[in-house]
Every structure is written in C-alpha cells, then in structure tokens.
Amino acid sequence: MSSALDDLETIFLRERFSLLQYARNALPYAKASERPLVEQLNQLADSTLSEVQQLEQFLQAESDQFRAGGNFPASFTNYNYQTIKSLLQRVLEDYQTRCQSFTENGRHVDTAPQVAKWHQRLQEIQQRTLTELQNLVASCNKRS
C-alpha cells in the first residue's frame, strides 16, 4: 500500500498548494458589486481545504513518513491584484488541468479499500469544486 499512499500524498500536496488555495491570498480587485464573488471563492477554497485536511489526517495515521509541508509555486504571485474575473478564470483553468491529471493518474488506483475510498472521495470533491468554479465564472461573466 506504500505506493498508493505515495500517490495520495502527491494528490494531497497538489490540492493543498493549488491556485484555488492561493487565491484567498491573492487580493483580487473587485468592485463592490463583485465582492460576493470573492467571498464565494474564499468559501469554496475553505470547503475544499477542509476536505484536504481530512485526507492529511488519514495520511498521518497511515504513514510515519508522511510530510505535509510545502509551498505555493512562486509563479502564483503573478496572480496577485488581478481582477476577480481574471483570477476566477485562471483558477478554473488550473483546476480543470488538475482534474484531468487526477483522472489520468486514477487509472492505477490501488485496490486497498481505504485508498480506493479516498480516491473516490477526492474525485467527488474535485467534481463538485469544478462545478462550483464553473458556476462562479459564469456568474462573474453575467455581471460584466
């Protein structure tokens, strides 16, 4: 199960240090009428982080070699102080790429029940998050 745990650890780090998580710190420019979009983006990031933290607890319990540390990519600072519309579009594009990568890597899921359960749960979380991001982008585009 070590290889499967390594895969889950990789997924954890990818999700924990994603552009969606960074977006809370990016301080996007938003008109007063767009502030609810910023709040919704932050709530989505918080919700996703909560799920990722549950995965972290599982990994800590299963592996004595688990390392939870990491950093956001330095390139994410390029997204500071952008308009909320631009930031939302970039977060959506990044998340779509992550979902595609997750699906491709998921073809090699370990048959260990706990790992398979987490993989399924993560897939559901990603699909829900992707749908919510698409809705946010659509809502933002309607306001323009």
Side-chain angles (χ1 to χ4, degrees):
M1 189 155 99
S2 177
S3 175
L5 285 176
D6 290 345
D7 290 345
L8 281 178
E9 184 177 328
T10 299
I11 293 166
F12 164 79
L13 292 171
R14 191 179 309 143
E15 291 302 311
R16 175 60 187 92
F17 299 104
S18 68
L19 184 55
L20 173 61
Q21 295 306 318
Y22 183 82
R24 288 180 295 175
N25 304 314
L27 303 171
Y29 170 77
K31 297 182 252 181
S33 63
E34 297 171 328
R35 292 303 305 164
L37 293 171
V38 175
E39 291 170 19
Q40 289 174 314
L41 179 61
N42 290 341
Q43 288 172 354
L44 181 57
D46 289 343
S47 171
T48 304
L49 180 60
S50 175
E51 299 280 358
V52 169
Q53 288 171 330
Q54 290 177 32
L55 172 59
E56 178 182 16
Q57 291 171 353
F58 168 77
L59 290 169
Q60 286 173 338
E62 293 295 317
S63 172
D64 57 351
Q65 298 178 358
F66 174 68
R67 55 173 174 54
N71 296 309
F72 291 105
S75 63
F76 284 3
T77 60
N78 294 333
Y79 304 118
N80 289 347
Y81 308 110
Q82 291 192 1
T83 64
I84 185 62
K85 181 177 181 176
S86 176
L87 181 61
L88 276 172
Q89 187 60 47
R90 294 197 188 269
V91 170
L92 175 59
E93 290 166 2
D94 178 72
Y95 213 80
Q96 288 170 324
T97 301
R98 287 174 185 284
C99 288
Q100 182 179 1
S101 174
F102 182 84
T103 302
E104 290 169 2
N105 293 339
R107 295 182 187 135
H108 309 291
V109 174
D110 194 289
T111 56
Q114 290 179 316
V115 173
K117 176 184 159 193
W118 265 106
H119 194 274
Q120 178 64 31
R121 185 172 174 188
L122 289 166
Q123 197 168 23
E124 291 167 3
I125 292 165
Q126 283 191 328
Q127 188 56 52
R128 183 189 72 231
T129 302
L130 181 60
T131 299
E132 290 183 38
L133 280 169
Q134 290 168 332
N135 291 340
L136 273 174
V137 168
S139 176
C140 186
N141 290 337
K142 286 180 185 176
R143 293 173 189 247
S144 298

